[in-house]
Amino acid sequence: MVNPISYTPGQDPMQPRPFRVVRAIRETADVVTLELEAQSGPPLAFQPGQFTMLYVFGVGEVPISISGDPHKPARLVQTIRRVGLVTEALCKLGRGDVVGVRGPFGSHWPLEQARGGDVVIVAGGIGLPPLRPAIYHILHQRQDYGRVYLLYGARTPADLLFPEELKRWQHTLAHAPGASPVRVTVDRAEGGWDGAVGVVTSLIPVLPIDPLRTTALMVGPEVMMRFTISELRKRGIPEENLYLSMERNMKCAVGFCGHCQYGPHFICKDGPVLAFPRVRDWITRKEV
Amino acid sequence: MSKAGLEHYLGEHPFFRGMRPKDLAWLAELAEPLALEVGDYLYREGDESKDFYLIQEGLVRLEIHTPGRGELVIQTLGPGEVLGWSVMLPETRKTFDARIFQATRLLAFDAAAVRKHSEEDHHFGYELCKRFSRVIGERLQATRLRLLDLYGQPH
């Protein structure tokens, strides 16, 4: 069970705080990372897996996962894909622009519980940013974990996020010389791509892990996560060790409005990170 | 690797795990180790399906040549994966090129011998068919997932 941490104690969770953009990084054609600093008050401490509500003044507010290093909270890092009006406005921001920030909200990855065992991190598409803080945390305390694997699937090589970090993690996440902890695959490739082609779930059957001592963290399109869970269960990983981050239409982010209700859960408050047994009866139901 | 070592290796491999010891011994006797270098072709489109393969190390690309676009990569297969499920069907031909992308070690199993042995020992043949069916199912599922274009922009 992951204990949800809703928001900074003593702070009105509905009141945005102004943060200034100190750096905007264009990751791909439709993905931008913003580095933000609080204009006043303390930096925003967070747990890996949590999200904030980012408010573009005069346009609107959207939930965005935090993609930065939890050990370096001075700079709030958020990675945004352009999919609608608000995210388009966020992707157009530049150095000096100001946004409103509420949060952090929601539950976090079970990194304490995962200590001492193997960790499999499965990311699909824009699912990598919510997992990056967990990777940073594991890197800070690498000796506390066994074998760690990042399986990352993207649409094309041009859609891969954080390519330089992926190269570094191949060495820094390794548990032993020669290990290959970062396994990247793309759905389609032409020309100069020198990696794997295929779906991310195809990387799971041959993964050298100790299933009963493995915790899996996953983020991606829900269909991808359903098939990922199926493959991980075939490998014998206990259901209670499978964690996924769910995405729904978060509005208030504190469990008042009900927009993100998912069966008996509010994704903003009980999630976004949930153990698979909590969503097992809901994940294949339509229109939930 | 000795024949005994190879039998043990096959018995531990997810594809062959659970087969009878005598089946593993027969397969170990049949297995032909191959080592191929980057750029080598394991087979080409149109070749007769003579073998199936168990990849031990390296990376193999299934490709198809398309005029104006060059080699299109259908899929890559790596260590632990099986290549060449169509060998259970007689007189089939390869529909893609299989090109070595990273230096590869693999075990080749003669298709005609496997088919003949399957006809003579239906238990062996059925066990192998079940295993190839699982591979076919996994490839079909992977293809369907890619057709969904899950990572594309929502419309």
Side-chain angles (χ1 to χ4, degrees):
Chain A
M1 167 80 186
V2 178
N3 294 320
I5 295 176
S6 54
Y7 45 85
T8 307
Q11 188 186 316
D12 180 354
M14 299 305 289
Q15 178 73 46
R17 288 174 60 197
F19 277 63
R20 189 173 296 281
V21 177
V22 291
R23 191 173 175 216
I25 306 160
R26 179 157 298 282
E27 306 282 3
T28 67
D30 59 358
V31 176
V32 167
T33 294
L34 297 178
E35 296 184 5
L36 308 162
E37 284 181 359
Q39 286 202 286
S40 62
L44 194 145
F46 70 97
Q47 297 283 333
Q50 290 192 295
F51 69 97
T52 69
M53 297 298 294
L54 289 188
Y55 181 27
V56 184
F57 301 112
V59 181
E61 193 183 48
V62 285
I64 301 289
S65 297
I66 303 170
S67 60
D69 187 341
H71 296 261
K72 298 175 183 171
R75 198 168 274 199
L76 175 64
V77 181
Q78 309 228 234
T79 301
I80 302 126
R81 187 183 189 195
R82 190 187 69 240
V83 290
L85 281 178
V86 183
T87 50
E88 183 172 6
L90 282 166
C91 288
K92 286 179 179 170
L93 294 178
R95 184 181 168 85
D97 289 331
V98 176
V99 291
V101 177
R102 294 194 293 125
F105 297 113
S107 56
H108 55 85
W109 297 114
L111 295 171
E112 287 299 314
Q113 181 189 313
R115 279 173 192 271
D118 296 341
V119 181
V120 177
I121 298 168
V122 188
I126 192 68
L128 184 57
L131 287 161
R132 191 167 69 160
I135 296 168
Y136 286 143
H137 178 83
I138 289 169
L139 286 171
H140 278 288
Q141 300 180 4
R142 184 65 191 87
Q143 71 285 355
D144 291 349
Y145 299 89
R147 289 168 286 198
V148 179
Y149 294 99
L150 169 62
L151 313 182
Y152 177 31
R155 193 182 194 210
T156 71
D159 293 306
L160 286 170
L161 297 170
F162 319 134
E164 293 306 314
E165 285 190 291
L166 292 173
K167 284 182 202 161
R168 279 204 298 277
W169 293 340
Q170 192 65 271
H171 303 289
T172 53
L173 274 179
H175 62 279
S180 180
V182 177
R183 303 181 181 201
V184 176
T185 184
V186 297
D187 280 357
R188 290 204 314 266
E190 292 181 34
W193 172 241
D194 61 357
V197 177
V199 290
V200 71
T201 50
S202 66
L203 302 174
I204 295 170
V206 294
L207 209 57
I209 50 168
D210 180 357
L212 294 177
R213 295 176 58 248
T214 295
T215 302
L217 322 176
M218 69 197 86
V219 189
E222 259 180 52
V223 172
M224 180 218 102
M225 290 199 289
R226 294 211 303 260
F227 282 90
T228 298
I229 287 165
S230 169
E231 290 300 326
L232 292 169
R233 287 172 71 187
K234 281 186 206 165
R235 292 297 311 272
I237 300 176
E239 283 189 352
E240 60 271 22
N241 289 359
L242 306 177
Y243 289 83
L244 59 167
S245 183
M246 301 293 292
E247 189 177 333
R248 281 296 181 274
N249 185 19
M250 275 92 98
K251 290 290 183 190
C252 73
V254 288
F256 292 157
C257 73
H259 277 90
C260 65
Q261 187 168 359
Y262 183 71
H265 310 297
F266 290 116
I267 294 300
C268 69
K269 186 168 67 73
D270 305 316
V273 175
L274 292 161
F276 174 64
R278 298 185 73 192
V279 298
R280 181 183 46 227
D281 295 338
W282 299 95
I283 199 162
T284 52
R285 293 197 191 185
K286 294 176 183 173
E287 305 300 337
V288 177
Chain B
M1 195 185 294
S2 67
K3 288 296 174 194
L6 194 51
E7 269 181 62
H8 179 75
Y9 172 80
L10 295 178
E12 292 292 310
H13 192 280
F15 184 76
F16 293 112
R17 192 179 296 146
M19 290 189 81
R20 296 174 301 187
K22 70 171 189 175
D23 296 335
L24 296 171
W26 187 85
L27 286 160
E29 198 63 41
L30 185 69
E32 194 70 41
L34 290 178
L36 294 157
E37 297 301 321
V38 175
D40 288 350
Y41 282 85
L42 183 58
Y43 54 78
R44 290 176 187 267
E45 182 183 356
D47 285 353
E48 188 186 339
S49 294
K50 288 181 180 171
D51 301 293
F52 78 89
Y53 309 94
L54 198 61
I55 301 171
Q56 295 178 291
E57 272 179 29
L59 196 66
V60 181
R61 276 186 163 186
L62 298 183
E63 301 175 339
I64 192 160
H65 183 81
T66 307
R69 295 175 68 185
E71 311 301 332
L72 299 185
V73 185
I74 308 297
Q75 187 178 16
T76 50
L77 295 168
E81 296 193 276
V82 172
L83 180 56
W85 57 263
S86 63
V87 293
M88 292 306 281
L89 309 169
E91 297 172 18
T92 53
R93 294 196 172 271
K94 298 296 185 187
T95 47
F96 301 110
D97 296 335
R99 190 154 61 106
I100 305 303
F101 201 67
Q102 290 171 6
T104 296
R105 282 193 314 111
L106 40 77
L107 294 172
F109 299 87
D110 181 81
V114 166
R115 282 197 300 271
K116 183 169 182 289
H117 192 59
S118 298
E119 293 291 350
E120 292 164 355
D121 181 345
H122 286 179
H123 181 90
F124 170 86
Y126 180 59
E127 285 298 318
L128 213 52
C129 278
K130 280 197 291 188
R131 286 160 170 77
F132 277 119
S133 298
R134 190 180 305 133
V135 171
I136 295 165
E138 287 166 359
R139 302 273 160 83
L140 178 62
Q141 178 179 295
T143 303
R144 286 170 167 169
L145 282 175
R146 286 165 71 186
L147 282 173
L148 288 173
D149 193 19
L150 292 170
Y151 308 133
Q153 277 279 359
H155 298 292

